[in-house]
Amino acid sequence: METLEHLRDRLATAFPRSEVVIVNNPSPSAQHSLLISADHARVIARHLRDEADLQFDYCSNVTGIDWPEKEIIETIKPAQTDPAGGAAVGTEQKIKRLQPGYLEVVYHLYSMALGHGPVILRLRTLNRADRVELPSLTPVWRSCEFQEREIFDLFGVLFSDHPDLRRILMWDEFKDHPMRKDYVEPDDYEWEPTPHGPVLAKAKVHYAALTPVAAAALGTTPASSSAPAPMSTPGPIASPAGGPAIALPLAVETPPITKAPATAQSPTLNPAAPSAAPRP
Amino acid sequence: MNELTPPSFNPPSGAQVRAVHDAFHGDLLEVSMGPHHPSTHGVFRMMVTLDGETIVKLKPVFGYLHRNHEKLGENTTYLSSMPYTDRLDYLNSMTNNWAYALAVEKLAGQSVPERAEYLRVILAELTRLLNHTCLAGFLLQDCGASGTPLMYAFREREKILDLFEALSGSRMMCNYQRFGGCRVDPSPEWLTAAQSLTDGYGRFLDEYESLITQNEILMARTQGVGVLSPALAVSAGVTGPMLRATGVNYDLRKVDAYGFYPRFPFRVPLGDHGDTYDRYMIRILEMRESITILQQAFRTLPSGPIIDPKAKLRGFRPKPGEAYGRIEGPKGEIGFYLISDGSPNPYRYRVRPPSLVNLTILEDLCLGQTLADAVIILGSIDIVLGEVDR
Amino acid sequence: MSDTPAAAHPDIDQATRDELRRQGILLTSMEELYNWGRSHSVWPLQFGLACCAIEMIAASMAKFDIARFGSEVFRPSPRQADLLIVSGTVTKKMTPQVVRLWNQMPEPKYCIAMGACAISGGPFKQGYNVLKGIDRFIPVDIYIPGCPPRPEALLNGLLALQEKIRAQKLSGPDAPRHLRADDPCEYPVPEFGEHDLLPTKNPVLWQAPIIVRKE
């Protein structure tokens, strides 16, 4: 197969009104890709599939990528130099630039007939909020069908002319797009046996709420919570018959009870929990 | 749809029965098979629309095992995604490991020592034996041969799992490959045991085939059922034995020539009809080729290091960029697409799941077939839900 | 039946009973006989979720042979099953189905949480679609750790369950769930919400264990 530069020039000649840009890949894999404009994506895809010496009949992999908007700080040094030949005068200028976010869909194309590839196509949406339409390439390659549905589900890209654009992995009532970088997952880290890293941070919120209860269980305050008392399970697998509580191995890092300020900061997270009483 | 005439509560006459039959004729019945169904290989679900027993529409429903593999991969380091790949296609952890290691090696430009490449080939082909054997067992189970073929298959699977356990410490979740090599060097005893297993595997296949391959019931149930055309297979991105059963010669071991596969001469079995029987047969023939690859690899296994001494496991940060690495897994092309932004975690971590893409043509294969055939067709596609839903 | 708890007959000690058995006299009670029969014919539901399901199948195959313990009859229908082996990751999308299957099983029924995922979410705990333990929605009798547990571990779990069944009293205040009027045999099925399951747990069944720091 010809080089990617040739391919780009060929596509630019065949589709003069479309924009075809090579996206450089600095990694040792050197798999560079072609960024094509969305309005010409399907004709370019058909061209790649049908030309006799290209024959990219096999679209292997379709990937969605989320690029949130990002603040870029550029430092500009003044170009003027001191006429006397000394150091540069003037102050450095820092310019904040907001790079707009977008969603990107990447297609890996191979040719089964000729055995070459990959050619990597990239399509980008205009933003991440309301201009997220891209043309579906399922009419060109059937293999995109489920993968594009997955990208719609997890990233929220709307593929126009997709035969069956529904959520595929999450349920239909689900509202979020969980593979986006700014997705906030539901907080169900009430209890962590071995927390560390970000999980510890999430779990600590709940531990803070639980601390007064734990204090109650330790006998420092009257037990008024409905939470079950801690019990120990000596056996490795058998749980107590009716009780849901499982005792911790007690090596978990928890907010230290003794050091917690008794000024009722921590229990506010759990309205059901009794407020902490000062320890004697 | 016809107008319904309510059946009488008195014992119906022949004419009434015929009237009811005529009234319902052409009426469609929608059946939800799964996610709990004994023949859907896990928590797969099919919404099937039936006209009598004939399938007129089939929509697969996914996501019942969507355990957020890709999101977890983006939130953790490159190395700690390796054990997660074991759990993608949980029958074939070794090939998943290899595909991921290959993608990261492309991303970081790492090389792999010779012995490690040989070990990868050996373990991948053992995995192929394991997967195809289990598939043959499950397919026969789906045909209604309850128990016995699967018992035979699992007997052989246990032997291979014993090898995996002796090598990696775990039966199923081997977590064996590393970026730039492998984790542990097999002992000479292990190699002897693996070699003798390989040498005896042909005999098992002979025995199995003598029971199954010419079996009249199997042939009646599978031949001409679920025929896939080569053009549709290519367009739908079907890969692996499914694709080769239609006659398309596309095996990544030959096309991409990754690993040391070019050093081992082997044939790529191709099907003629693309039906379910071909898909069964291709797997049997591939196992025989795997045995020849294994025997060559054992004969010529070089000594040396098993991991690139420059490979950095802890604090691994590839330079910004991206890479797509793929190998010929037992189910098809398994690929990993990684984007690095220079941090310890991948910016984007994408798995190209062969099972999911192979399911694209499920409806095309099942249309016009009976519901019982849909079970066999699904069995011959060879899906593992851990990889379909990730 | 020497492993039967002697508590069934507190006035006759185990040594006497063993001696009588050697003489050909079997002392038993209705409760003991009933539990003995139940414990050795636990029929599991043929219900595979994820990786652990493969090991569950392996446990029923030749090398491990769960039939030795009377549980080889894997029933495809929950109506005929005694035991729900939650063999793998329960995703939030799958949770309503699992609870519904549990509700469809007739009492007396038991639940084994097989593997780290079924117990707590396991390695996939941080996933947005992963339920952090099936015991948030249905009562679990036996927990089998492992990822996946070996088939031997499943057999061990089954033996532990048999022991638990044999120790069940059929009358009195600690009678099992299906003999008590106040205990529900049906458990609420969660619904799909916009961001998560509704509710996210069954508070009657599961509350976060109390964190006690060892001083």
Side-chain angles (χ1 to χ4, degrees), chain A:
Chain A
M1 198 192 75
E2 57 210 305
T3 61
L4 201 63
E5 284 77 19
H6 283 136
L7 189 62
R8 176 198 56 193
D9 296 343
R10 241 178 99 170
L11 291 174
T13 328
F15 306 100
R17 275 180 300 148
S18 75
E19 200 179 326
V20 182
V21 183
I22 289 185
V23 178
N24 207 40
N25 177 5
S27 91
S29 74
Q31 293 171 338
H32 310 296
S33 47
L34 289 176
L35 175 67
I36 56 178
S37 53
D39 43 350
H40 287 82
R42 205 171 296 149
V43 285
I44 289 179
R46 283 225 168 79
H47 184 84
L48 288 171
R49 185 191 67 180
D50 294 338
E51 280 293 295
D53 58 333
L54 298 174
Q55 286 197 49
F56 286 102
D57 48 8
Y58 167 42
C59 176
S60 160
N61 181 31
V62 188
T63 312
I65 308 164
D66 181 22
W67 299 98
E69 65 177 7
K70 153 164 98 167
E71 204 173 65
I72 295 177
I73 299 171
E74 286 173 345
T75 312
I76 296 176
K77 284 185 183 171
Q80 305 155 338
T81 47
D82 192 9
V89 291
T91 52
E92 285 182 350
Q93 277 189 314
K94 287 194 174 172
I95 298 177
K96 272 189 197 171
R97 190 163 62 86
L98 208 61
Q99 184 185 319
Y102 54 89
L103 301 169
E104 191 172 42
V105 181
V106 183
Y107 296 82
H108 284 77
L109 310 179
Y110 290 87
S111 169
M112 279 193 189
L114 304 176
H116 59 222
V119 158
I120 306 168
L121 297 184
R122 310 183 94 91
L123 301 178
R124 286 176 185 172
T125 62
L126 294 174
N127 61 25
R128 299 171 69 243
D130 51 346
R131 309 285 303 275
V132 288
E133 296 90 15
L134 283 180
S136 164
L137 296 189
T138 308
V140 186
W141 295 287
R142 266 291 295 281
S143 55
C144 303
E145 184 180 340
F146 290 157
Q147 304 191 57
E148 284 182 345
R149 261 180 80 184
E150 187 185 321
I151 294 166
F152 162 71
D153 185 352
L154 302 182
F155 289 89
V157 178
L158 293 171
F159 290 96
S160 56
D161 296 331
H162 189 283
D164 186 18
L165 197 65
R166 290 176 294 135
R167 284 193 180 266
I168 183 169
L169 294 177
M170 303 304 286
W171 52 86
D172 291 333
E173 295 86 353
F174 200 69
K175 287 274 185 277
D176 307 325
H177 300 294
M179 281 298 286
R180 289 199 185 188
K181 292 286 178 188
D182 52 1
Y183 169 67
V184 182
E185 60 186 80
D187 181 25
D188 37 14
Y189 290 87
E190 292 96 333
W191 178 59
E192 288 296 323
T194 51
H196 57 273
V199 177
L200 177 62
K202 287 176 193 165
K204 266 186 173 173
V205 175
H206 292 278
Y207 291 165
L210 278 172
T211 303
V213 186
L218 285 170
T220 50
T221 51
S224 56
S225 166
S226 62
M231 45 179 103
S232 68
T233 46
I237 47 178
S239 79
I246 302 159
L248 281 176
L250 301 179
V252 181
E253 187 188 332
T254 54
I257 295 164
T258 45
K259 287 178 193 164
T263 50
Q265 282 175 351
S266 48
T268 52
L269 286 157
N270 186 356
S275 58
R279 287 168 66 87

